[in-house]
Amino acid sequence: MSPVSAEAATETVAAERPDFHPSSRRVERLLTRFHQTRDFTNSLCAGLEPEDYVVQSMPDVSPTKWHFAHTTWFFETFILKKFSPGYRAEIPEYAYLFNSYYNAAGDMHRRDLRGLISRPTVREAQRYRASIDSHIDNLLSGADEKLLDVIEPILVLGIHHEQQHQELLVTDIKHVFAQNPLYPVFREGRARHSVHADERTATECRPYHFLDFEETLVAIGHDGSGFAYDNEGPQHQALVPAFSLASRPVTNGEYMAFIEDNGYARPEFWLSLGWMTVNESASGGWQAPLYWIKHESAWWNFTLSGFRPVDESEPVTHVSYFEADAYANWAGARLATEFEWERAALDCPVEGNFVEEEKFHPRALATSGGDKQLHQMFGDVWEWTRSAYSPYPGYRAAPGALGEYNGKFMCNQYVLRGGSCATSRSHIRRSYRNFFQPEKRWQFTGIRLARDPQ
């Protein structure tokens, strides 16, 4: 379903709900968007069994049930408990179980132990979700303009927060399913499927080329119109020296050449910490991207549509910063800075393969890629940059628990740009700064090469 039709359908459903009595168009607009986001989370879980909701396959992964309840806890904690007179939590202990990292909001259960919590059950978590949604309906429907002015920014933040967790839900359940030798299917037939290993090159992809960008002074960061996270500002001027950027992301086939050239066994390409990580992983050392397996002398990978041969024309994904940097060194190039990426993206439309497409997998470039323009800057795969995640000049975290949203993580992480096939189209922006530690690979992370002037 397209975003437009989804929104129209949500409006129709909202109008038909007997408890939906918007006092103004503003309330109707806010509740429509709220329920559209909440309903999409539900739809992502539609094919899951209760057993799927509770597994935590590694500390970075949260059980689906936890995502389901945590996003609900956010609206309860930061809106209902603060602005709904007489509201009392039905189960106060949820505040402890489903807090993530907001120290100012109270104590929290350990992240790495979330998979040990069998109660509340999935059904109880669903009831909790429905109850909070109903309370939000009632609160907003009776709110005057003054109260809406206060609530709306928090509600919109909560909506974007839930979209972040929709992406995590998709990538987390992929990691959970990948541990199962039965290779469960999340969505049947969404990703393009190849039956035979010798068909994996059926979609040809022409070589990338580099586009040149001259040195210039660029306004970096969000311009203040519409929603943005605090880490996207303040907008500031940055001098971006001349550089070149590849026309498209690196493909599986191109990454295979790195593997076949013993890229994982040649320390000259790797950062020291990356070399240690590659060789000391619990599985005995990395030899390929996450989810790749050598099967009958050919590379296969696990996708959310099942186990299938690697398509050489698709963007490579599930690679760490260390792997992206090593590949760039091997290729005689480098990764872009986040400022180069944002400067290059200025004239690129924000369109691509996002979660609304429900493919849940990067797709091969639809065009020949031969024209002089950038392709797949948004969607498909997050692109690692060589920029450390740090505050922009003049940045100050907001006070209170919501001020912990981004600023407290500005250490030992790298910035990624552009969104992925698990990111919502309405969530991404040119100024959006994602960030992960350099060894992480379970997100849909990929590579786009850059280089200095030749």
Side-chain angles (χ1 to χ4, degrees):
M1 182 179 288
S2 71
V4 174
S5 61
E7 184 170 356
T10 305
E11 288 180 349
T12 301
V13 171
E16 292 175 351
R17 284 206 314 269
D19 62 334
F20 187 85
H21 301 291
S23 58
S24 69
R25 186 66 184 171
R26 181 183 184 186
V27 170
E28 183 178 2
R29 172 180 54 81
L30 287 172
L31 285 179
T32 294
R33 189 175 175 195
F34 171 76
H35 284 289
Q36 180 182 350
T37 303
R38 302 284 279 172
D39 291 346
F40 188 66
T41 302
N42 296 340
S43 73
L44 288 173
C45 301
L48 299 179
E49 298 294 340
E51 292 83 356
D52 299 325
Y53 278 78
V54 299
V55 180
Q56 182 174 28
S57 51
M58 65 173 177
D60 287 323
V61 162
S62 293
T64 296
K65 183 179 68 176
W66 187 88
H67 288 299
F68 213 61
H70 167 71
T71 51
T72 302
W73 167 90
F74 187 98
F75 291 108
E76 180 185 39
T77 300
F78 297 115
I79 294 181
L80 293 179
K81 287 184 177 180
K82 293 183 180 295
F83 303 109
S84 183
Y87 175 81
R88 293 292 181 271
E90 184 176 342
I91 304 179
E93 291 80 6
Y94 284 2
Y96 173 75
L97 277 181
F98 300 125
N99 185 1
S100 54
Y101 52 74
Y102 299 90
N103 292 304
D107 293 334
M108 63 210 71
H109 185 248
R110 277 176 51 179
R111 176 180 181 178
D112 60 329
L113 300 182
R114 290 169 183 168
L116 300 182
I117 304 304
S118 60
R119 304 295 176 94
T121 64
V122 173
R123 184 174 297 177
E124 288 168 337
Q126 291 168 336
R127 283 202 297 266
Y128 172 50
R129 190 174 176 86
S131 173
I132 297 305
D133 287 359
S134 178
H135 281 293
I136 291 289
D137 275 348
N138 294 335
L139 174 62
L140 265 66
S141 296
D144 58 24
E145 291 296 318
K146 184 177 180 181
L147 182 57
L148 286 174
D149 287 341
V150 179
I151 291 178
E152 181 171 359
I154 305 173
L155 184 77
V156 171
L157 175 62
I159 288 170
H160 282 271
H161 169 260
E162 180 141 351
Q163 288 178 313
Q164 286 182 303
H165 279 273
Q166 289 167 354
E167 177 161 3
L168 289 169
L169 189 155
V170 169
T171 53
D172 288 0
I173 201 65
K174 180 173 184 177
H175 193 271
V176 167
F177 279 6
Q179 313 313 307
N180 189 329
L182 297 177
Y183 296 125
V185 171
F186 177 72
R187 288 289 191 277
E188 189 72 50
R190 296 290 187 175
R192 189 171 62 80
H193 182 70
S194 297
V195 178
H196 302 293
D198 59 0
E199 293 178 2
R200 66 184 182 274
T201 58
T203 303
E204 298 297 332
C205 191
R206 294 180 60 179
Y208 60 81
H209 52 271
F210 283 93
L211 280 72
D212 298 329
F213 294 86
E214 297 179 352
E215 179 178 297
T216 188
L217 198 64
V218 181
I220 296 295
H222 194 257
D223 63 7
S225 59
F227 175 83
Y229 289 119
D230 61 349
N231 65 357
E232 299 172 54
Q235 190 177 69
H236 60 285
Q237 297 293 314
L239 178 64
V240 180
F243 69 100
S244 300
L245 192 66
S247 56
R248 57 162 174 79
V250 172
T251 63
N252 289 326
E254 289 159 348
Y255 198 83
M256 283 181 187
F258 169 70
I259 297 173
E260 292 166 0
D261 197 32
N262 294 317
Y264 279 89
R266 298 171 63 178
E268 64 266 30
F269 300 133
W270 295 83
L271 292 168
S272 177
L273 185 57
W275 183 246
M276 291 174 56
T277 302
V278 164
N279 289 287
E280 294 179 1
S281 65
S283 60
W286 294 347
Q287 299 178 8
L290 185 63
Y291 305 128
W292 283 32
I293 300 172
K294 205 66 170 290
H295 179 68
E296 297 180 349
S297 301
W299 286 110
W300 289 59
N301 67 342
F302 177 73
T303 76
L304 283 164
S305 294
F307 191 52
R308 64 181 180 85
V310 170
D311 186 328
E312 294 186 16
S313 63
E314 293 170 351
V316 68
T317 191
H318 298 300
V319 291
S320 66
Y321 175 84
F322 292 139
E323 290 164 295
D325 181 72
Y327 177 88
N329 290 331
W330 173 83
R334 61 173 174 83
L335 302 179
T337 68
E338 65 166 317
F339 310 109
E340 290 170 336
W341 192 97
E342 189 167 335
R343 184 256 192 274
L346 287 175
D347 296 323
C348 297
V350 182
E351 58 187 26
N353 173 25
F354 295 109
V355 72
E356 289 86 353
E357 302 289 331
E358 296 192 43
K359 299 183 185 299
F360 306 111
H361 191 75
R363 64 186 178 193
L365 185 61
T367 68
S368 66
D371 51 339
K372 292 290 183 179
Q373 67 182 57
L374 296 171
H375 298 273
Q376 296 175 292
M377 288 288 282
F378 295 95
D380 287 305
V381 294
W382 286 102
E383 298 178 7
W384 285 107
T385 75
R386 69 190 307 181
S387 295
Y389 179 50
S390 59
Y392 285 163
Y395 173 83
R396 293 291 183 275
L402 291 177
E404 300 181 54
Y405 203 100
N406 285 308
K408 66 191 293 181
F409 300 109
M410 292 177 173
C411 178
N412 298 333
Q413 312 211 50
Y414 281 85
V415 175
L416 303 100
R417 293 297 193 110
S420 79
C421 57
T423 308
S424 175
R425 178 184 289 105
S426 63
H427 183 64
I428 198 67
R429 298 168 293 283
R430 292 179 182 85
S431 58
Y432 194 109
R433 307 173 77 200
N434 200 1
F435 50 92
F436 283 104
Q437 291 98 341
E439 74 278 9
K440 303 305 182 187
R441 325 202 279 171
W442 95 108
Q443 295 298 307
F444 287 101
T445 48
I447 310 168
R448 185 185 297 265
L449 298 178
R451 66 186 184 190
D452 298 316
Q454 300 297 297

